[in-house]
Every structure is written in C-alpha cells, then in structure tokens.
Amino acid sequence: MTDLLSKLTVLKALFEKDKWSLRELSWRTGISEERLMEVINELSGNYVVQRDEGLVAIASSDNPAKIKPWGWNIYHELIVGSTQVYARGLVPWSIVVAEHQLHGYGRHKRMWESNLGGIWATAVISLPADKSPYLNIAIPLTLQRVLRRIGVKAWIKWPNDIVVEERKLGGTLIEGVALQDSMTVYIGVGINVNNDIGIPEATSLKRIVGLTPRNRVLAPFIGYLTRVTKLVSEPSELVDEYLSNLITLNRVIVAETIDGIIEGKAVEVDEYGSLIVSTKNGVEVKLEPWRVIRLRHGD
Amino acid sequence: MTDLLSKLTVLKALFEKDKWSLRELSWRTGISEERLMEVINELSGNYVVQRDEGLVAIASSDNPAKIKPWGWNIYHELIVGSTQVYARGLVPWSIVVAEHQLHGYGRHKRMWESNLGGIWATAVISLPADKSPYLNIAIPLTLQRVLRRIGVKAWIKWPNDIVVEERKLGGTLIEGVALQDSMTVYIGVGINVNNDIGIPEATSLKRIVGLTPRNRVLAPFIGYLTRVTKLVSEPSELVDEYLSNLITLNRVIVAETIDGIIEGKAVEVDEYGSLIVSTKNGVEVKLEPWRVIRLRHGD
C-alpha cells in the first residue's frame, strides 16, 4: 500500500506534464532516480508508459485529461472516494475520471475494486424524466458497442454488466435525481482496462487484447453519451439491439432478489430493462433491475 | 494505510481552499459526508482543524503554504519521497514542506518516520564555502532557539538532535554541494509537532504543550535561516551558546562510529561541531559529526 502511494505520487507528476526526464521527475516527486525506475517499471504494467531518449511519459491516449469532448467538462482526479459521490457536485455534461477510488461502489452499494489502470468514471447527463428509464438498456448497450468497435467480443450480462467469455469486463451504474420534468442522471462505469484483477470471474482488456490506451474506450463512450437523448428516442430499436447482445437471453438464471431467490429461463427484456423470467412452474416473472442484487447463469 | 489515503485526500482539499462546507468537501473528494466526518475527526488529532457553523478548515497557522517569508520560495507538497531529494531541484532560498514522506531519511540515510502532523522540510540556502562547516552547530542551535521561544525546554543532543526531557523531539540534517567558493546547502528538519509517535524514545510538541500550529515553529525557523550568513560570521559566540544548551556536555557517551565504538566523557565541541571525548585511558578523541552513526548517553 505504501507502494500504491509511491505509484500515485509518480502518476500525479506524470499526468501533470507531458514528458519528464528521470532527473526532473526525481526532483518533482522527491523520489530517488533508482526507486523511480522501479515505480515506473511497475506502472508500465497498468499504463501506456512511453520511454524515449531518457524521457518518460504517459501516452496522451491513456490520459483522460487529454480528451476534449465538445460540450463536456472533464475532471481528472488521482484519488476520490467514489466518482458517483464526486459527480453530485457537477453540472450535467460533466464527467469525472479517477485513477483510484477509496470506496468505489456498484449496484446495491457493493464494493467495487478500483485498482490502477482501469476506467473509473461517472458522467452526469440530463434528459427528460420520461426517457430516463430507457437508460437501463441504453447505457450497457453503449458500452458494449464501444468495446465491439475496438474488436472485443463483448456481451451484455443482464442487467448492467459487460462480459467477455463469461467473465466480467465492466459494469455500469445508473443513479438519478428528478427535478420536475427533467432528470439528472449519474452514469457510473467501471471498466477493467489495464488494471490487475484479483478475482477469477473477472477479466480485463489487458488480458484479452493487451495493454490498451484508455481513451480508445473512454472517448467513444462519451461520444455516445452526447447523443444519448437521440438514442433513447427509439426504445424499441434499442431493445432489439440489447437483446441480440444479451448473453443472459434464453439462459437458465438464478437471481438473488430483495424478495428472495428466483430461478428460471430468461425469455425477454422490456424497454425499461426489466427481465422476463419463465419459472419452472410455468409462471412468468418480471424482474426489475433494482430488485435484483445478484444474478448468475445457471447453465 | 487506506486510511492514510483517505486522510491525504481530505487534507489535499483542506489545503486547497480556506473553508469548506461538509457538502462541498464531499463533492470535492467524492467521500460521503458521513465518512468525511470520521476522517476529519481523525485529522483533528494531528492538525489544528477549525469547525465553525458547519464549515471546516485547517488553521492558517497550521498551513505551511500560508507563510510568506520575504525572499523565499515555499513549496508545500502533500506527498514526496524525501524532502531532501525534492530540494535538489530547487534554487537557494527555497523550502519544501511535505505532509508525508514515503522514504524520509535522516543522518546516514536512516529511515525517518514522517507521520501526518509533523514538520518535514528541507530548506536550500547558499553561503560561502568556508562558512558552511559552522552550520553543524548553527542549525541545531537555531531550532533549539525557536523551541525555547515558544516555551519548550529543548536541549541539543550532539550532534544534531533536539531533545526534551531526554526524548527526541526533532533532528536536523545538513547536506551540501560545493560550487567553487560557494556552497549550496540542503538543511533538512524533522520536528515532531502534532504527529503520532510510535517509539518511546521520542516525543512531540503535542505531548509536551498540546496541539501546536506548525507555523509557530516553521516561520521563526525560516526567519533565522534568512540571517544565517550573519549567524555563522561569529562562530565562537555560536559555540558558546551551543555548549550552554548541549545536554551531551560533561556526560558519559557511547558513540557508534564508522570505525567502531568510542566511550568516554564529552568535554568540548569545536566550531565545526566536532565533539571532543575524553576516553578512559585519558586520551582525547575528536569525533566529527559525519563519523558518528549513533550516540547515546551512558549515564
């Protein structure tokens, strides 16, 4: 963990200036050049680090502060408690990207591991309140599209996860505050890009396609969000695309809900993102995303 | 240690702006208000934290960035490897103060514990090369003077420590680089102000006089350094004052030196800061500060 502090200290400097000589970086951080080399070597496993003629840099394409999406405010932070909490202080069309979260969380406030090298971000958008339920399908779909575009065979696992070969690559989280007809929505995303992963059920882009500059994912994702209002104006098209990329469809599922366990076959998803499950005794049950704590494929 | 990260994250924000409401601080750090209260409570044990009408602040008098000593550049950093290494990149009449050191060190590169709430700083000065040896006595003396001024019965323990009731309160470290007739000197100080202390042989201002705003020590110390050239122009007066505040004088000492152990009675200090020891067999030995790794009082 002291190691994490060293990494964060060096990262801070690397994000501060485009290129550093080792000597200047040593002066900036107060870390000896020898130790600095070790830290940079370790960081190279989780960031696209460029080393050229004695200079060291984090690739622009891996630096979230280098994206300048039109109409958006970007906040790039080294450490935050949670990007979801941070985002509460931001106006719509802002996004915060953090290198490290102290208490990152996912759905149902479950702890979300946020090691160095991933994308931990929350975007704030605003849209008509009656359109906001469609985000349940639009957001995971958007992330899945972005990943497909960079050649990753990504699927949606209901309700809001992205999986590759049945392993979790990322997740999305949607929280909102309504104000009259308008809804401010806090869209959290966690994507395992180049971060090291402690759990066998998860995977990362690093494992699948190798070290990946994060802006290759982040920039098109923000691009889709810019057009989100248009996207949710055709919910039936969204549902079709969502279903055709839903790995959960036609699978046997076991859902842990706030009212107990439900088992059955996933047969449909409606435009609000609810899953229709056909249970053993022939009854169809509708599972709203917020009711489900955990879902696993039973086959 | 995650806890240290939370504290550092909140500290960063607190030093960034004069006053915060809890809500805004939560937005700035991404830490929930509830968790924030806990972190602030803990920080209040190591910093002069002010809480008034729902606002929270670190007292200006405890914020090193608020000192504006004439002719000096002040660098206030949250985390550095070591202030001594950081200072290598600074021009003379600069000072760096860090809240946390990753690998703080003292004499003979011994690890120096640098918990939150102390003064961990390095000042860069320049003076004629022939005057620089007098700093060995001038610097500890200066620090001792500052502490006496705020009512602490501080003594010098040879060569460069400050003790109160035989317990270590602080230490100084002098490293230099000569360039022709001029010497650039890196003066490191570590002072246990409000930091928690893990070892029984040490003490802190918090223990002795209660929570102390660090600038009460830092500002006059920098003031003395401004006049250091004048100070070292009268080495014999310096020696007199040094000796009259030297707790080591006339004591039996056991010195671990780079050439072995030396035992005897400390009888004198010369103007270069060397200790004259009268050994059992009646021989006088001169101990230069740099030769001595560790010294303890044997009586």
Side-chain angles (χ1 to χ4, degrees), chain A residues 169-183:
Chain A
L169 181 69
T172 59
L173 172 66
I174 296 164
E175 300 180 312
V177 175
L179 187 70
Q180 294 174 339
D181 297 345
S182 162
M183 188 90 164

Side-chain angles (χ1 to χ4, degrees), chain B residues 164 166-170 192 197-204 207:
Chain B
V164 176
E166 306 266 326
R167 290 179 179 195
K168 184 162 174 170
L169 181 70
N192 298 322
I197 290 171
I199 42 173
E201 316 87 70
T203 189
S204 67
R207 274 198 203 160

Side-chain angles (χ1 to χ4, degrees), chain A residues 2-21:
Chain A
T2 298
D3 210 38
L4 174 58
L5 263 190
S6 295
K7 287 181 189 172
L8 287 167
T9 304
V10 175
L11 268 181
K12 177 172 177 283
L14 287 175
F15 282 121
E16 215 171 76
K17 211 178 88 170
D18 281 350
K19 281 179 188 173
W20 288 92
S21 72

Side-chain angles (χ1 to χ4, degrees), chain B residues 201-272:
Chain B
E201 316 87 70
T203 189
S204 67
L205 289 181
K206 181 166 72 166
R207 274 198 203 160
I208 302 165
V209 293
L211 216 60
T212 303
R214 291 176 297 170
N215 294 351
R216 285 191 67 197
V217 177
L218 201 51
F221 181 69
I222 299 174
Y224 277 117
L225 290 184
T226 304
R227 303 187 297 273
V228 73
T229 314
K230 184 159 181 296
L231 205 64
V232 294
S233 67
E234 309 274 11
S236 65
E237 283 178 25
L238 274 184
V239 171
D240 288 347
E241 192 181 336
Y242 182 94
L243 283 174
S244 66
N245 289 294
L246 186 67
I247 202 165
T248 312
L249 195 65
N250 297 322
R251 298 278 290 270
V252 174
I253 62 102
V254 183
E256 184 189 323
T257 80
I258 54 177
D259 320 301
I261 302 288
I262 289 176
E263 291 189 45
K265 191 179 165 193
V267 292
E268 185 64 80
V269 171
D270 73 15
E271 58 193 17
Y272 301 114

Side-chain angles (χ1 to χ4, degrees), chain A residues 10-47:
Chain A
V10 175
L11 268 181
K12 177 172 177 283
L14 287 175
F15 282 121
E16 215 171 76
K17 211 178 88 170
D18 281 350
K19 281 179 188 173
W20 288 92
S21 72
L22 211 56
R23 169 171 292 189
E24 283 178 316
L25 191 57
S26 168
W27 289 344
R28 180 69 191 91
T29 58
I31 299 174
S32 70
E33 292 188 32
E34 198 186 338
R35 277 211 176 90
L36 213 41
M37 283 302 299
E38 287 173 31
V39 176
I40 291 167
N41 281 339
E42 285 191 51
L43 286 175
S44 301
N46 305 112
Y47 290 90

